[in-house]
Amino acid sequence: METFEPVIVAFCCHYCAYTAADMAGSMRLHYPPNVKIIRVPCSGKVDAIHIMKALEKGADGVIVAGCLEGDCHFKNGNIRAAHRVDSVRKILGDIGMGGDRVEMFTMSAGMGERFALVATEFTEKICKLGANPVKSGTDMGMHQAAC
Amino acid sequence: MITAERKPMEEIIGSVSPYRRILLVGCNECVTVCAAGGRKEVGLLASALKMHFAKEGNPVEIEEVTLERQCDPEYVEELLPRMDQADAVLSMACGCGAQEVARRYKEKPVFPAVNTRFMGASERQGVWAERCAGCGNCVLGITAGVCPIARCSKQLLNGPCGGSTSGKCEVDPDIDCAWQLIWDRLKALGMQERYEDNIPAKDWRTGRGGGPRRIVREDLAS
Ligand code: SF4
Ligand code: SF4
């Protein structure tokens, strides 16, 4: 069986998470190349439909990463994002996908190490969960060999 | 506005599972404002259903349309070119919209994707509360602008009842006692004497008591 290389989409806010990812790069920290970063002006800009579309089009996991609580550049975008992530997890649970493929993280712009750690741990988690079952067209996808 | 909430996903999945080509129809009016069945919610539900059925190895085609108003025949007519390709319609409008689609396209099964709740107003972002029960003979003018029909749990015309405690209704401490609100507002308006007037029994035939209602405007009707 082929090894499973998960595709992970990370919506990162411009002011903190994206800068943290950039910092991880400048610090030469290693994190899995599976994580594809999409920069957004604020994590609060990430709508439920963006997360759903990422999964529908085959992403195996989605990260929404914003500023630390209380530090959002737009006051409470990260709180709104957290609520939306919760509602998407609920929908995914209701359709039998399980909510674990989507997770919200917060970090400051200087936390390059945290970004690398989050990216690594989340990729490991998705590896354990297996491929997005939407792609394989059967729930058996869930049991595909872990990477 | 008319408020609604999306039905549980399990129920929606159950209703459309026999069909492979679904026309998912939202509405740009009330259900958009209360975030139940506008363009955004249509997109979200379409995505969820597509993923669910793809995962089961039984993919569905879902066409998304959000009409300006689903309760007006002019707009419902716009669905005509898409009906041939649909096995069933899933409506995210209130019950009025879903029924208008069912009336126009008699050969297609129509399923509601939302539960229509009440006529209400936004209390704050994400919170809607009942304000009017459509009694057909408005008494707001003598109740200081607070509706005792929709907002008093017992629909008392001369309240409060003995269950009003610290401004809250005995039915649920989260409900403001309508008659407390009426009294507070009468006081603020300096109209306390109005409280002494007995409101006579209401003729409920102007409401649901008279059966399904219609409005006919001779000056407009064609
Ligand atoms: S009195 Fe009747 S019409 Fe007026 S707000 Fe209450 S239910 Fe609506
Ligand atoms: S407590 Fe107030 S709102 Fe509740 S039933 Fe009595 S009068 Fe009506």
Side-chain angles (χ1 to χ4, degrees):
Chain A
M1 194 181 274
E2 288 172 38
T3 19
F4 162 48
E5 278 299 340
V7 175
I8 288 161
V9 173
F11 293 100
C12 296
C13 77
H14 170 76
Y15 290 95
C16 292
Y18 186 82
T19 313
D22 202 24
M23 174 81 79
S26 348
M27 290 165 80
R28 304 274 181 272
L29 296 173
H30 176 79
Y31 65 86
N34 312 60
V35 179
K36 320 285 180 210
I37 295 174
I38 296 177
R39 179 167 57 161
V40 287
C42 172
S43 57
K45 182 74 193 90
V46 182
D47 208 283
I49 192 69
H50 301 131
I51 305 173
M52 295 290 281
K53 282 285 170 200
L55 292 166
E56 189 189 320
K57 290 185 182 299
D60 299 293
V62 177
I63 287 172
V64 177
C67 307
L68 294 173
E69 208 161 311
D71 281 348
C72 174
H73 198 79
F74 298 97
K75 267 175 93 175
N76 57 2
N78 52 356
I79 312 276
R80 285 170 186 265
H83 289 156
R84 292 197 195 123
V85 166
D86 282 348
S87 78
V88 170
R89 287 168 67 106
K90 163 105 183 41
I91 293 175
L92 293 175
D94 290 348
I95 61 170
M97 292 257 295
D100 286 346
R101 291 180 185 275
V102 180
E103 208 165 328
M104 168 97 194
F105 297 96
T106 56
M107 59 195 71
S108 76
M111 291 179 166
E113 283 174 9
R114 171 155 167 79
F115 181 86
L117 185 72
V118 158
T120 307
E121 288 183 353
F122 188 75
T123 305
E124 282 166 9
K125 182 171 107 173
I126 297 299
C127 279
K128 286 203 189 88
L129 283 175
N132 178 350
V134 168
K135 281 189 287 194
S136 52
T138 154
D139 270 341
M140 293 307 287
M142 298 288 280
H143 310 297
Q144 198 171 330
C147 41
Chain B
M1 85 190 83
I2 294 174
T3 61
E5 285 177 301
R6 202 198 66 221
K7 278 180 174 287
M9 203 57 87
E10 197 185 348
E11 186 184 340
I12 299 175
I13 290 170
S15 65
V16 296
S17 61
Y19 307 99
R20 299 275 59 82
R21 297 177 309 170
I22 297 157
L23 184 58
L24 179 53
V25 192
C27 176
N28 241 341
E29 301 277 354
C30 308
V31 286
T32 294
V33 182
C34 68
R39 199 178 306 274
K40 229 177 190 183
E41 293 73 33
V42 163
L44 209 56
L45 180 59
S47 183
L49 291 174
K50 278 190 249 176
M51 282 201 266
H52 170 78
F53 288 109
K55 177 177 75 66
E56 307 280 298
N58 196 12
V60 281
E61 279 171 41
I62 299 185
E63 168 117 33
E64 303 170 30
V65 196
T66 299
L67 299 177
E68 197 51 41
R69 261 198 307 284
Q70 214 180 114
C71 55
D72 258 336
E74 288 84 350
Y75 296 110
V76 171
E77 198 59 32
E78 291 171 11
L79 297 174
L80 183 62
R82 307 175 196 248
M83 271 304 163
D84 272 355
Q85 291 92 54
D87 301 329
V89 180
L90 187 56
S91 168
M92 293 202 92
C94 72
C96 311
Q99 288 184 65
E100 192 49 34
V101 175
R103 186 197 62 78
R104 170 62 184 83
Y105 303 101
K106 294 186 169 48
E107 70 291 358
K108 298 287 170 184
V110 176
F111 299 96
V114 302
N115 288 324
T116 305
R117 300 294 308 279
F118 48 77
M119 284 190 273
S122 311
E123 277 193 344
R124 55 177 201 276
Q125 173 81 12
V127 180
W128 296 272
E130 187 159 18
R131 290 287 183 264
C132 172
C135 75
N137 189 7
C138 195
V139 299
L140 286 177
I142 51 172
T143 57
V146 177
C147 172
I149 316 295
R151 301 177 70 178
C152 166
S153 303
K154 297 172 190 165
Q155 305 190 335
L156 295 180
L157 288 168
N158 298 283
C161 71
S164 178
T165 312
S166 310
K168 298 294 175 187
C169 173
E170 66 173 343
V171 164
D172 182 334
D174 284 340
I175 301 173
D176 289 325
C177 168
W179 276 98
Q180 180 72 53
L181 296 176
I182 292 169
W183 170 248
D184 289 347
R185 188 123 203 284
L186 283 173
K187 239 180 10 185
L189 293 167
M191 293 165 73
Q192 292 98 316
E193 79 287 352
R194 178 150 301 173
Y195 183 70
E196 301 291 324
D197 301 338
N198 263 337
I199 302 179
K202 220 168 148 50
D203 180 349
W204 294 101
R205 284 173 300 183
T206 57
R208 287 285 305 147
R213 294 166 281 176
R214 291 170 89 206
I215 296 174
V216 181
R217 279 275 303 267
E218 299 293 358
D219 55 332
L220 297 175
S222 50

